[in-house]
Amino acid sequence: RLEAEDQAQVAAWLDEAMAGDEVGRVALWLPPNLHTWVAFGRRVDAPLYKVGYTPATLFEFEPRSGDVALLRALGVRYVVSSSVRLEPGLRLVRTLGEARIYEVLDSLPTPLVVTEGAGAVTLTAFERERIEIEAGPGSAGRLRVHVSAFPRWRAFRDGQPLVIDVSDAGLGERIGFMEVELAPGTTELRFVRGWPERLGWFCAVLG
């Protein structure tokens, strides 16, 4: 069992280890009923990926696996676990109380993968609701962005709309990364809020 006081130590260690990493994630690989860590995301700056089932999520693309290939693809840098992990590709780097912290070896340094063709691509912005990518001259093919697709995402190149396709990257049916055409210029992915989000705010205030 991971005691609540372990969380502060783990969060402090992770924040220091991941300082300057704008795209890396942390995975929580804990027993499904260990509810004392439900608010751990408020303690760390990095986004979290939870291994296993989460009953409150109803998304079409909802990865749950602890497969190391998926952890790498998601850009997970470290795994926090309450038990010994023997999976190849994980290396124990720290034990804090009852928490074990594993490094994911060969994690993707960027969420961008050119899947077809070739081109020099640079991630220039990676925010919660906006991703910006610069592609150099001669770039052509397909570009996969390792962020889960959702109907609110929109893609543009130099202001012109692009079609967003969905790719499982060969990792399973619950994976749905965004993929767009690759060409020179600036590609922007934006999360555009619709009427359900606006209605949600209204209902919250009304409630």
Side-chain angles (χ1 to χ4, degrees):
R1 175 181 171 83
L2 296 182
E3 298 298 333
E5 54 265 28
D6 294 337
Q7 296 185 35
Q9 297 184 71
V10 173
W13 189 93
L14 289 171
D15 283 344
E16 182 177 353
M18 298 185 65
D21 188 341
E22 297 181 352
V23 301
R25 292 183 170 102
V26 173
L28 293 181
W29 201 335
L30 304 172
N33 294 318
L34 189 60
H35 302 306
T36 54
W37 279 59
V38 70
F40 182 69
R42 300 189 62 183
R43 293 178 175 265
V44 293
D45 292 331
L48 298 182
Y49 166 66
K50 182 181 182 296
V51 177
Y53 174 67
T54 301
T57 57
L58 297 172
F59 299 113
E60 180 180 0
F61 303 112
E62 184 187 340
R64 302 173 183 172
S65 170
D67 182 78
V68 176
L70 175 58
L71 298 180
R72 289 177 175 136
L74 291 172
V76 173
R77 307 291 188 248
Y78 297 100
V79 174
V80 179
S81 179
S82 58
S83 57
V84 175
R85 307 246 62 95
L86 301 177
E87 290 80 3
L90 299 182
R91 179 172 66 91
L92 180 65
V93 293
R94 195 67 186 267
T95 300
L96 295 170
E98 297 298 318
R100 296 173 174 85
I101 303 176
Y102 294 84
E103 180 184 8
V104 180
L105 304 178
D106 301 319
S107 175
L108 286 181
T110 172
L112 307 178
V113 175
V114 177
T115 60
E116 297 177 17
V121 293
T122 304
L123 184 68
T124 53
F126 192 74
E127 304 165 3
R128 290 175 184 264
E129 299 183 0
R130 177 176 172 270
I131 302 168
E132 185 180 270
I133 303 150
E134 292 287 343
S139 298
R142 303 289 298 171
L143 177 67
R144 189 171 66 226
V145 183
H146 285 206
V147 173
S148 287
F150 190 71
R152 303 288 187 270
W153 282 106
R154 300 288 186 270
F156 304 88
R157 177 177 302 110
D158 298 330
Q160 299 302 311
L162 292 175
V163 175
I164 297 178
D165 294 317
V166 177
S167 169
D168 69 358
L171 294 170
E173 61 181 9
R174 286 189 172 272
I175 312 303
F177 294 136
M178 293 186 287
E179 187 170 289
V180 295
E181 178 190 13
L182 175 62
T186 301
T187 298
E188 184 183 44
L189 297 169
R190 290 202 305 263
F191 190 89
V192 179
R193 297 182 182 277
W195 67 265
E197 288 80 16
R198 296 187 180 93
L199 182 61
W201 278 109
F202 174 77
C203 291
V205 173
L206 186 64

